[in-house]
Amino acid sequence: MGLSVFAFSQDVKNSPDKGKQKTALIVPAEQAKLEAQKKAAEEKAKLPKPYDPKADAQADINKLVAQAKKEGKNVMIQAGGNWCIWCLRFNNYVQTTPELKEIVDKNYVYYHLNFSPDNKNEKVFAQYGNPGDKFGYPVFIVLDKDGKMIKVQQSDVLEEGKGYSKEKVKEFFTTWAPKKG
């Protein structure tokens, strides 16, 4: 596929139009795909990178479970990686939407569980049934204050257009918040 782009974008010197046309047209679908990839790369470069491939995920989650128990919160694990545009979009969306950030801060200790070629965290993912294999990324794993998994949520149902639905995300965070009282 990549070679076809080069083939279509070469200068055309010996064409029947006697050289009036300087370049052949790139197939519109190929051009659109290239533009989309370029835009995604530019967007990705600007977004915060919350995933740490060097982190000891199991130790971090153990600390968060202890913190959640002390604070009466649940643990929200957002699994994905800095390579994943939808993972970065979700993180940025929650952090920059005051209403959602407030719900998260009030009800959850939040963790970005890395999945990347550098560190696949296979043992950690295995204890939660490897949800990324089934649903892709990001995928959300909700633990109660005792560290028991209570929900795995795929992210595509929270999407809307090129982003996320505020109402669907709000409903997800509210539904899986710890029951108070």
Side-chain angles (χ1 to χ4, degrees):
M1 185 161 72
L3 295 177
S4 65
V5 171
F6 290 115
F8 283 107
S9 64
Q10 299 300 314
D11 280 4
V12 180
K13 302 257 191 284
N14 301 325
S15 62
D17 69 356
K18 311 261 188 276
K20 290 181 197 145
Q21 179 185 354
K22 293 293 180 210
T23 57
L25 294 175
I26 293 178
V27 178
E30 291 289 325
Q31 181 66 33
K33 185 177 178 185
L34 288 173
E35 287 298 318
Q37 287 172 338
K38 183 180 172 194
K39 278 186 177 176
E42 289 170 357
E43 178 186 0
K44 198 185 294 185
K46 293 176 188 172
L47 293 170
K49 310 295 184 290
Y51 296 92
D52 182 2
K54 293 177 180 73
D56 181 342
Q58 190 60 63
D60 290 349
I61 291 169
N62 292 345
K63 287 178 197 162
L64 289 175
V65 168
Q67 180 185 343
K69 189 172 195 111
K70 197 165 83 176
E71 297 176 9
K73 296 180 176 182
N74 284 345
V75 179
M76 178 64 66
I77 299 173
Q78 179 182 327
N82 294 328
W83 53 267
C84 166
I85 188 70
W86 284 96
C87 301
L88 301 180
R89 281 177 181 158
F90 189 87
N91 175 67
N92 191 60
Y93 183 63
V94 171
Q95 294 301 313
T96 60
T97 306
E99 187 178 356
L100 297 176
K101 185 165 175 24
E102 183 181 332
I103 294 169
V104 167
D105 291 347
K106 180 178 165 189
N107 296 292
Y108 299 96
V109 290
Y110 210 95
Y111 187 68
H112 291 89
L113 175 58
N114 184 75
F115 178 85
S116 69
D118 296 338
N119 187 352
K120 295 182 179 177
N121 281 305
E122 291 167 301
K123 287 182 181 173
V124 177
F125 277 101
Q127 68 190 358
Y128 303 121
N130 294 309
D133 292 350
K134 192 185 307 180
F135 299 118
Y137 296 97
V139 64
F140 304 93
I141 304 161
V142 185
L143 310 179
D144 68 12
K145 65 180 174 30
D146 297 315
K148 179 178 167 258
M149 185 172 69
I150 57 174
K151 175 70 175 169
V152 171
Q153 176 67 56
Q154 62 197 74
S155 63
D156 61 342
V157 297
L158 305 174
E159 293 173 9
E160 188 174 81
K162 295 278 185 214
Y164 289 93
S165 161
K166 184 175 169 184
E167 288 311 309
K168 291 176 185 175
V169 172
K170 182 179 171 183
E171 181 183 350
F172 167 59
F173 284 145
T174 304
T175 299
W176 296 101
K179 306 300 176 234
K180 306 284 183 186

